[in-house]
Amino acid sequence: GAVVSQHPSWVICKSGTSVKIECRSLDFQATTMFWYRQFPKQSLMLMATSNEGSKATYEQGVEKDKFLINHASLTLSTLTVTSAHPEDSSFYICSAIPTGGSSYEQYFGPGTRLTVT
Amino acid sequence: GESVGLHLPTLSVQEGDNSIINCAYSNSASDYFIWYKQESGKGPQFIIDIRSNMDKRQGQRVTVLLNKTVKHLSLQIAATQPGDSAVYFCAEKGNTGFQKLVFGTGTRLLVSP
């Protein structure tokens, strides 16, 4: 149980285009999901907290107009990287917390490798 | 601000040895800690967690120790296997009521057969 999927697993796009990444909780509902970014050989950095039915909460320094987050259902959150540039190339990982769960454990997706050329 | 750091960026051990991965945290108000394992190109995988009202918790081949006095967390892996080779992250959750996690810098564990 508690499986989180991401799609696509990897994507290559040209500079200036937009890319959408999906995060799905497959066997549970998640009111709250998180989006992280991880550069090579570095740790996970939280970008934003995605809340179902409301606006996402962005961490300091993360441009909300560049990284659009939509959490329209209890099993799906999407991250859209708008006007992507090479510096946006990274490993994007989402996580989800089961709604009503008693644990603070976050279940992570497998990640999406974004390469902007 | 909050920060969680690790003392050793790389730990090399022989198969069958016991491994100890350390983590220092700075937020004394954190009330929940987790260790994650991340293999190359994959998302983090939960290993074990511990709440701040505990100082030790054991799982299968793993033990987490929490020393709140010196704000130190460690992960012990018994009889380390080549499949344990990965990057290990500690993460902490503050006591603000929000569920955000702050991740440490990570330690790469290399297990030689």
Side-chain angles (χ1 to χ4, degrees):
Chain A
V3 177
V4 176
S5 70
Q6 286 184 236
H7 178 79
S9 56
W10 61 270
V11 57
I12 302 173
C13 72
K14 293 187 176 182
S15 185
T17 62
S18 296
V19 175
K20 179 184 286 187
I21 302 170
E22 294 184 348
C23 176
R24 294 182 184 272
S25 54
L26 298 184
D27 49 3
F28 65 96
Q29 294 184 331
T31 306
T32 302
M33 293 184 174
F34 299 91
W35 285 98
Y36 295 84
R37 181 168 50 184
Q38 185 178 34
F39 293 108
K41 299 184 179 181
Q42 294 189 22
S43 187
L44 282 74
M45 295 299 296
L46 180 64
M47 298 175 66
T49 303
S50 174
N51 302 297
E52 188 269 336
S54 64
K55 292 183 179 180
T57 304
Y58 290 83
E59 294 301 297
Q60 191 172 8
V62 178
E63 301 174 57
K64 62 180 181 180
D65 294 330
K66 180 171 182 61
F67 298 100
L68 302 179
I69 292 173
N70 184 279
H71 194 154
S73 78
L74 288 172
T75 59
L76 174 64
S77 175
T78 61
L79 169 69
T80 301
V81 182
T82 63
S83 187
H85 292 284
E87 56 265 31
D88 298 323
S89 298
S90 187
F91 194 50
Y92 291 86
I93 307 172
C94 72
S95 70
I97 297 179
T99 301
S102 60
S103 170
Y104 294 114
E105 180 184 347
Q106 297 181 18
Y107 296 95
F108 284 83
T112 296
R113 174 78 58 195
L114 170 62
T115 301
V116 184
T117 60
Chain B
E2 296 181 9
S3 68
V4 179
L6 294 177
H7 298 303
L8 298 173
T10 302
L11 176 64
S12 296
V13 301
Q14 293 288 322
E15 181 178 2
D17 287 351
N18 296 330
S19 303
I20 299 177
I21 301 172
N22 297 302
C23 176
Y25 64 94
S26 60
N27 185 359
S28 58
S30 290
D31 60 1
Y32 181 67
F33 304 87
I34 311 177
W35 280 101
Y36 286 97
K37 172 186 180 183
Q38 186 180 29
E39 297 176 84
S40 181
K42 298 183 179 179
Q45 175 186 357
F46 173 88
I47 300 174
I48 192 168
D49 60 358
I50 189 169
R51 294 187 182 273
S52 59
N53 61 354
M54 304 171 66
D55 53 19
K56 180 179 180 179
R57 191 162 188 228
Q58 290 184 296
Q60 187 176 13
R61 281 202 307 120
V62 295
T63 300
V64 56
L65 299 178
L66 175 62
N67 186 330
K68 294 182 288 294
T69 302
V70 295
K71 293 184 286 187
H72 184 267
L73 192 68
S74 70
L75 175 69
Q76 300 179 1
I77 304 174
T80 313
Q81 303 167 0
D84 295 326
S85 295
V87 177
Y88 290 80
F89 293 97
C90 64
E92 64 175 317
K93 187 195 80 67
N95 67 342
T96 61
F98 295 106
Q99 295 167 308
K100 295 193 301 184
L101 294 177
V102 175
F103 279 78
T105 54
T107 292
R108 179 172 298 280
L109 177 64
L110 299 175
V111 184
S112 303

